[in-house]
Amino acid sequence: MSKKAAAKKPAAKKKPAVASKNKSLLVENRVFKPNPEFVKQARIKSMAQYKTMWEESVKHPDKFFGREAKELLWQKPFGKVHEWKCPNSKWFVGGKLNVSENCLDRHIHGARKTKAAIIWEGEPGEKRVLTYQQLHREVCRFANVLKRNGTKKGDRVIIYMPMIPEAAVAMLACTRIGAIHSVIFGGFSAESIKDRVNDCQAEIIITADGGYRRGAIVGLKKNVDDALKGKDTSVKKVIVFKRTGQDIHIEEGRDVWWHRELEYVDAKCPAAQLDSETPLFILYTSGSTGKPKGILHTTGGYLLHSYMTCKYVFDLRDDDVYWCTADVGWVTGHSYMVYGPLAMGATSLMYEGAPNWPENDRFWRIIDDYKVSVFYTAPTAIRAFMKWGDHWLKKHDLSSLRLLGTVGEPINPEAWMWYHNLVGGGKCPIVDTWWQTETGGHMITPIPGATPTKPGTATLPFFGVDVGIVDDLGHEVPANEQGKLVIKKPWPSMLRGIWGDKKRYQETYWSDFKGWYFAGDGARRDKDGYIWIIGRIDDVLNVAGHRLGTAEVESALVSHPAVAESAVVGRPDELKGQGVVCFVTVKEGIKADRSLADELKAHVRKVIGPVATPDEIRFAAALPKTRSGKIMRRLLKQIASGETLKGDTTTLEDINVIAALSAASGED
Ligand code: WTA
């Protein structure tokens, strides 16, 4: 996009074009029935039971969810279960509850008092266990630290932490007093922090001096310092946890140490009584414009859905050791490392670092050491493990595993089979869970004791989820044809808005089909009704399971003085699902060479963060445009993937541009 367009790119018109399939797909037609051993103890034991429950959940949602919600701890019972005036949804109207109380207090009066809530391992190898009682105490103390530093109900608190128990403590402490947290993944840059702070006008940041990743220290506090340079920030306090102990800058009057602050507080902190619709957190995610969206979730509905899915999809048991490998900076870390499992009173394992540190078997070692029984990870990680070789996992005893899960991107049948045979020993059901930051929790997923699975499909909708796969006019497409994935009914954990931008909320999710939520994904249903997710059909990439807006990367590129114009597209990548390819035209007189390509890659890392690092920069004399000036991404995608060009090029302004781009061999 041009510099002018970068500032305010209108939401790109979504095209029904669907990402091309990964070439390495292996077709696997076998159907895997739930293992009878698993079924014996499962909560839902048959398809008939699933179907009856699903029918009730969509036909009588008030009855179904009203009953389920009674399993949570309410300070004041709710009246009406649900109110809906598109696009505004309210759940458990009039009810009052507190998330931290549900996750902690209600477990500490019985047998779970001394049960491990969080088992943690640091990348260098330290080990810690926090029982429910201990976690409760830490959360209460830290909630008092927040209060002492001026945080009140409704204030926004940024959390930019390594994967240490204190990240969960900070989140739960916010929920205890009704502050709204916004966790930022440690792979985002100072500039990304600054944008998010400004957008939600946060008054406080909780961070650490650093964290460990692949043997190196990530300088988290340094990034926070850079983000807060200048006078116009809303941030008044920064609370710093000492993790690595390296020297850091402490700004007098603004920065305080976590451990010092604890000296001033006690461990009594009543859980605030919060209305069911009280904002719980904001989580920024990429959309099809240059500006990330602050997805807003609220209290009662979100908690119920994360709790219910842990109960029915992970089928968590009191003796499980459950491990979700997602970072707390992504929604998966929110719903399935912290809130869902703790609301269930489960034991949640947390690991700080990289899967290949110090060697490629770190994950298998952890599963063996702690006897992990439920394991939830991303297809991109599974493909990396496959590449590293089977011998790494054969060194370890993985027989404690009883259930496996995946999330984040479609899983290719080859990776599914490897996961099933080598990790699960052929006996563990696999739940391939489709959902999004916006949906708060699982939406399409097998129920492990009931649903026969087929490698590569997320199978059937979860309770209360009414899925449509439709054409542009909203008509259901026939079996095996691709369409847009929509959700036809509101559900408890749906996003309640985009922070500070009602219009964008309406336009992004509710304007393609009146009254239905459009998810941004393409899908097809097979003859058995199973849903196969094809991938994003908007200008959002899915790189190693992380969402990345092409417009965000384009904005970053054009902010570099050498760049005149850029267009970013994805291309299939065996390991990461998609790779980031940037077509760049440079300004007059600038030499487009390898050193500039490296500089541009580094520039994108600096502006957005390492998560957005381009795989390839391709210089071009011009970008293919329609006569009305719109970049023809469809063609660029084909060029980036080395495909032969298909489709209509008659609207192209200058056909020679394509010839030149196709001839270009990349960076050199
Ligand atoms: C993709 C992550 C196929 C999808 C929880 C969605 C998936 C986006 C799956 C959301 C899956 C997630 N199969 N695709 N099981 N799970 N996706 O917001 O394109 O980071 O729209 O949420 O990831 O990514 P997000």
Side-chain angles (χ1 to χ4, degrees), residues 308-516:
M308 267 178 68
T309 43
C310 281
K311 185 171 79 169
Y312 292 127
V313 178
F314 294 139
D315 208 354
L316 290 184
R317 306 267 132 198
D318 247 332
D319 57 358
D320 272 322
V321 177
Y322 160 79
W323 183 18
C324 161
T325 67
D327 191 281
V328 72
W330 306 109
V331 72
T332 309
H334 284 56
S335 305
Y336 297 114
M337 190 176 64
V338 180
Y339 293 122
L342 295 181
M344 281 285 291
T347 296
S348 183
L349 193 141
M350 189 175 186
Y351 164 59
E352 181 186 30
N356 53 352
W357 186 266
E359 289 193 292
N360 293 339
D361 63 344
R362 185 63 180 267
F363 275 20
W364 317 129
R365 185 178 294 279
I366 291 175
I367 291 175
D368 192 356
D369 281 355
Y370 298 94
K371 302 295 167 218
V372 171
S373 51
V374 178
F375 181 59
Y376 190 38
T377 195
T380 188
I382 298 169
R383 289 192 294 266
F385 299 137
M386 287 169 72
K387 189 180 135 209
W388 294 336
D390 301 354
H391 59 287
W392 290 108
L393 91 185
K394 288 195 172 141
K395 290 205 248 176
H396 301 281
D397 175 10
L398 307 182
S399 61
S400 56
L401 290 169
R402 65 179 195 91
L403 174 68
L404 303 174
T406 72
V407 59
E409 50 184 319
I411 180 163
N412 47 314
E414 199 178 338
W416 197 101
M417 287 309 303
W418 186 88
Y419 200 32
H420 173 76
N421 287 329
L422 280 102
V423 181
K427 71 176 193 324
C428 303
I430 297 181
V431 288
D432 171 357
T433 59
W434 176 86
W435 60 293
Q436 306 176 304
T437 306
E438 290 88 339
T439 71
H442 304 152
M443 298 294 280
I444 303 175
T445 173
I447 299 294
T451 318
T453 48
K454 305 180 196 178
T457 161
T459 72
L460 297 166
F462 185 67
F463 303 129
V465 179
D466 189 4
V467 175
I469 297 179
V470 298
D471 64 17
D472 286 347
L473 299 173
H475 304 306
E476 279 291 329
V477 297
N480 286 322
E481 271 184 35
Q482 286 171 15
K484 289 181 172 176
L485 176 55
V486 295
I487 312 291
K488 297 183 169 177
K489 279 197 166 70
W491 64 100
S493 63
M494 62 186 271
L495 77 166
R496 299 300 196 264
I498 295 179
W499 185 256
D501 204 340
K502 278 198 174 134
K503 195 161 156 262
R504 192 175 176 193
Y505 173 57
Q506 167 78 45
E507 278 172 5
T508 310
Y509 302 108
W510 305 98
S511 60
D512 286 56
F513 304 99
K514 216 171 170 318
W516 296 346

Side-chain angles (χ1 to χ4, degrees), residues 12 14 22 29 56 131 200-201 296 300 309 353 459 494 565 605:
K14 292 149 198 144
N22 190 330
N29 290 323
E56 188 198 9
T131 63
C200 71
Q201 290 290 296
L296 177 69
T309 43
T459 72
M494 62 186 271
E565 204 173 21
R605 282 173 72 95

Side-chain angles (χ1 to χ4, degrees), residues 613-641:
T613 308
D615 291 277
E616 191 184 354
I617 304 278
R618 280 189 171 212
F619 293 113
L623 299 176
K625 289 192 188 153
T626 60
R627 284 173 201 141
S628 60
K630 217 168 150 331
I631 293 175
M632 295 184 82
R633 290 165 181 285
R634 174 174 58 81
L635 296 180
L636 289 176
K637 274 187 206 161
Q638 292 169 8
I639 294 169
S641 344

Side-chain angles (χ1 to χ4, degrees), residues 461-621:
F462 185 67
F463 303 129
V465 179
D466 189 4
V467 175
I469 297 179
V470 298
D471 64 17
D472 286 347
L473 299 173
H475 304 306
E476 279 291 329
V477 297
N480 286 322
E481 271 184 35
Q482 286 171 15
K484 289 181 172 176
L485 176 55
V486 295
I487 312 291
K488 297 183 169 177
K489 279 197 166 70
W491 64 100
S493 63
M494 62 186 271
L495 77 166
R496 299 300 196 264
I498 295 179
W499 185 256
D501 204 340
K502 278 198 174 134
K503 195 161 156 262
R504 192 175 176 193
Y505 173 57
Q506 167 78 45
E507 278 172 5
T508 310
Y509 302 108
W510 305 98
S511 60
D512 286 56
F513 304 99
K514 216 171 170 318
W516 296 346
Y517 169 84
F518 173 51
D521 278 353
R524 68 180 168 87
R525 239 192 262 261
D526 68 16
K527 60 176 183 7
D528 300 324
Y530 278 29
I531 298 159
W532 297 71
I533 309 291
I534 312 287
R536 304 287 310 187
I537 58 172
D538 52 11
D539 290 327
V540 175
L541 307 182
N542 190 330
V543 180
H546 299 150
R547 269 164 77 164
L548 187 63
T550 51
E552 268 175 85
V553 184
E554 288 163 3
S555 295
L557 284 165
V558 293
S559 72
H560 188 282
V563 176
E565 204 173 21
S566 85
V568 172
V569 297
R571 73 157 170 233
D573 181 289
E574 278 214 354
L575 225 50
K576 298 192 292 184
Q578 277 189 304
V580 183
V581 180
C582 311
F583 291 89
V584 170
T585 62
V586 292
K587 289 190 183 147
E588 281 287 312
I590 302 278
K591 196 163 167 242
D593 56 10
R594 176 171 281 279
S595 93
L596 180 62
D598 290 344
E599 192 178 317
L600 293 179
K601 284 185 187 173
H603 180 72
V604 174
R605 282 173 72 95
K606 181 165 175 287
V607 175
I608 307 179
V611 278
T613 308
D615 291 277
E616 191 184 354
I617 304 278
R618 280 189 171 212
F619 293 113

